[in-house]
């Protein structure tokens, strides 16, 4: 065999070995996530509304994944939706799954900018045949089954409920740092806020600012390890934050079925019995008490079920979802033949004035029919069961200044003025070094030791970014503001500044 032949054979062996190794490496790489390019058909209660599914939402795709999404079903909440969505965006929620129950007040129009911005997906509820089950065949299961954004956690809350951490501002960060990733679900107790004596909601007021008192819960009547006490007034219950890898089916307040496939076999549950309204913490498991105290208990869920008397009356007349069929049979409600919705019959003006207290100076009660009197009695009775304003709790007030700013900027944006606070899903990364605006052409810092007597475009806005102190989002907002007011902007990252321990005198590094 010649030398050339042996050389050729060696090269063949080398090529075959390399090809085998390359093939093995390619097979070992994880498969790319599937990106959804169309709206997912939703079973049983709704079909996707193609008109409000926007390209921005599709561009992110299911493969991108988010940590925390909110799932809700609503009807005629246009007045409150901007505050509710903006509050939860500030609190770290990344995406919204919304089932619109044929709203007629412009709720879908309010949601459209958020859909276009890629932070919401909206479906229209078309089937009301299971409304009486009140959650057993509802949107919650569909949110986990058709989790188009591949959310790790989904909070199952209503449009009158506000979720936030008592320490800090960001629910997503709390879930990532304080909750075991294999925890199946959280049962977060709500705080039931009353009307606080408000008959009509003032224009320009915020729910999270106007109503600051909720019911007092006696720990002897409803112990802290009990997740639901429905025999007290107002009833105390919980709402769920579910781990989508672990939960298959649920009701309004409790989980009915866990997953045992797709990674669900590693999940654990800290409550018992499952599928019961009266659920207790598993005290026999140390991890249960640890997760309840560090993961669940620090989360607040403010339930503004009443708001003002005027608001409650409007909510009441929309209909009672769990008693719709019974109310129709009793002659108290009517069915919309087009949408299938059940709404209570309207109260006459005299009954409305009586409920709002406008007839306080009238000596003669209004003359009402039997049905009208029955409806008024039910409204008053259910209002009294929920209207408890006993304990001052201003924990949500920390969001109010920024919330007012966001809502004001949204309004100005609608009038044609661009808002510096955008909801665009793809935001630029914060610079990791001192930005060029901090230097002049010679490479020297442009920031003087003494502040200028008059601010100008030549004086940059400087942000000293201390890592691990929630500065990234602030940096993005300041950069947007600087661009709008046409100022230079630069960020200085003090990488080790968060390790400094300030004492009397000079700072010293923490050892």
């Amino acid at each position: 065999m010649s030398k050339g032949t042996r050389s050729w054979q060696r090269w063949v062996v080398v090529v075959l070995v390399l090809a085998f190794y390359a093939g093995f490496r390619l097979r070992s790489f994880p498969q790319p996530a599937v990106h959804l390019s169309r709206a997912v058909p939703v079973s049983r209660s709704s079909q996707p509304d193609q008109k409000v599914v926007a390209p921005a939402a599709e561009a992110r795709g299911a493969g991108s994944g988010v940590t925390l999404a909110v799932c809700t079903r609503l009807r005629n909440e246009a007045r409150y939706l901007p505050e509710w969505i903006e509050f939860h965006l500030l609190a770290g929620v990344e995406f919204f799954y919304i089932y619109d129950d044929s709203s007629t007040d412009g709720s879908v129009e309010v949601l459209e900018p958020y859909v276009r911005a890629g932070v919401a997906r909206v479906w229209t509820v078309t089937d009301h045949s299971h409304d009486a089950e009140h959650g057993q065949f509802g949107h919650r299961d569909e949110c986990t089954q058709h989790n188009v954004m591949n959310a790790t956690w989904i909070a199952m809350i209503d449009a009158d409920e506000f979720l936030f951490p008592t320490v800090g501002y960001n629910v997503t960060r709390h879930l990532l740092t304080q909750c075991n990733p294999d925890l199946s679900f959280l049962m977060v107790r709500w705080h039931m806020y009353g009307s606080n004596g408000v008959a009509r909601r003032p224009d320009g007021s915020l729910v999270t600012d106007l109503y600051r008192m909720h019911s007092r819960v006696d720990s002897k009547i409803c112990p802290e390890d009990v997740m639901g006490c429905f025999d007290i007034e107002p009833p105390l219950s919980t709402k769920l934050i579910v781990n989508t890898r672990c939960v298959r089916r649920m009701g309004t307040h409790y989980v009915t079925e866990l997953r045992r496939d797709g990674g669900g076999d590693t999940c654990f549950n800290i409550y018992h019995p499952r599928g019961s309204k009266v659920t207790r913490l598993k005290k026999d498991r140390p991890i249960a008490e640890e997760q309840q105290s560090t993961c669940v208990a620090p989360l607040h869920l403010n339930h503004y079920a009443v708001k003002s008397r005027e608001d409650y009356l409007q909510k009441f007349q929309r209909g009672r979802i769990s008693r719709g069929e019974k109310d129709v049979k009793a002659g108290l409600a009517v069915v919309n033949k087009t949408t299938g919705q059940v709404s209570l019959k309207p109260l006459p003006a005299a009954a409305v004035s009586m409920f709002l207290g406008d007839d306080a100076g009238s000596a003669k009660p209004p003359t009402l029919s039997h049905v009208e009197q029955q409806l008024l009695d039910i409204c008053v009775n259910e209002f009294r069961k929920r209207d408890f304003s006993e304990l001052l709790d201003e924990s949500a007030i920390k969001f109010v200044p920024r919330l007012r700013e966001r809502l004001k900027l949204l309004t100005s944006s609608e009038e044609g003025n661009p808002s510096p606070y955008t909801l665009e899903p793809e935001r630029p990364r914060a610079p990791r070094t001192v930005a060029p605006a901090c230097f002049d052409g010679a490479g020297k810092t442009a920031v003087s030791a003494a502040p200028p007597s008059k601010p100008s475009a030549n004086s940059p806005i400087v942000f000293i970014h201390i890592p691990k102190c929630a500065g990234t989002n602030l940096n993005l907002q300041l950069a947007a503001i600087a661009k709008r007011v046409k100022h230079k902007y630069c960020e200085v990252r003090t990488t080790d500044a968060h390790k400094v321990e300030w004492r009397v005198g000079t700072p010293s590094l923490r050892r």
Side-chain angles (χ1 to χ4, degrees), residues 384-402:
R384 286 175 176 171
K385 288 181 179 180
R386 294 166 173 80
D387 185 29
F388 285 79
S389 304
E390 303 169 315
L391 188 64
L392 181 66
D393 185 344
E394 298 180 322
S395 53
I397 300 301
K398 61 186 179 183
F399 289 93
V400 168
R402 182 76 184 280

Side-chain angles (χ1 to χ4, degrees), residues 42 46 72-74 97-101 123 125 139 142-143:
V42 181
S46 62
T72 195
R73 174 175 168 172
L74 57 86
Y97 298 141
I98 297 177
Y99 291 77
D100 177 66
D101 193 358
W123 292 271
V125 177
H139 61 283
E142 290 168 355
C143 276

Side-chain angles (χ1 to χ4, degrees), residues 79-80 195-206 210-211 306-314 348-360 383:
R79 184 176 185 181
Y80 309 107
S195 68
N196 289 209
V198 179
R200 286 186 170 84
R201 180 184 176 186
D203 291 338
S205 61
L206 297 179
L210 183 59
Y211 308 104
V306 174
K307 303 186 182 77
S308 69
R309 281 179 169 263
E310 178 186 29
D311 290 321
Y312 181 77
L313 183 60
Q314 293 174 356
V352 172
S353 297
M354 185 176 180
F355 181 75
L356 296 178
D358 293 342
D359 65 340
F383 178 78

Side-chain angles (χ1 to χ4, degrees), residues 122-145:
V122 180
W123 292 271
T124 299
V125 177
T126 57
D127 182 359
H128 296 268
S129 60
H130 294 285
D131 283 357
E133 281 84 355
H134 195 37
Q136 295 302 319
F137 297 95
H139 61 283
R140 299 171 187 85
D141 293 344
E142 290 168 355
C143 276
T144 56
Q145 292 167 12

Side-chain angles (χ1 to χ4, degrees), residues 78-193:
R79 184 176 185 181
Y80 309 107
L81 271 176
E83 178 184 358
W84 185 77
I85 292 180
E86 291 295 328
F87 180 96
H88 286 103
L89 287 172
L90 289 173
V93 172
E94 299 166 278
F95 202 82
F96 298 85
Y97 298 141
I98 297 177
Y99 291 77
D100 177 66
D101 193 358
S102 303
S103 295
T104 58
D105 68 340
S107 292
V108 172
E109 287 74 17
V110 171
L111 293 168
E112 281 181 355
Y114 298 99
V115 176
R116 290 197 303 269
V119 295
R121 182 74 71 84
V122 180
W123 292 271
T124 299
V125 177
T126 57
D127 182 359
H128 296 268
S129 60
H130 294 285
D131 283 357
E133 281 84 355
H134 195 37
Q136 295 302 319
F137 297 95
H139 61 283
R140 299 171 187 85
D141 293 344
E142 290 168 355
C143 276
T144 56
Q145 292 167 12
H146 306 288
N147 182 13
V148 295
M149 292 307 297
N150 196 25
T152 305
W153 300 91
I154 301 180
M156 306 294 178
I157 61 176
D158 294 335
D160 58 358
E161 296 168 337
F162 290 71
L163 176 68
F164 62 97
T166 54
V167 178
Y169 294 82
N170 196 296
V171 182
T172 296
R173 185 176 293 113
H174 175 85
L175 292 171
L176 290 172
T177 59
Q178 303 300 323
C179 301
N180 191 303
D182 289 329
L183 180 61
S184 295
F185 58 95
L186 291 68
M187 301 185 76
V188 184
R189 269 187 171 189
W190 69 32
H191 298 275
M192 185 79 79
Y193 280 73

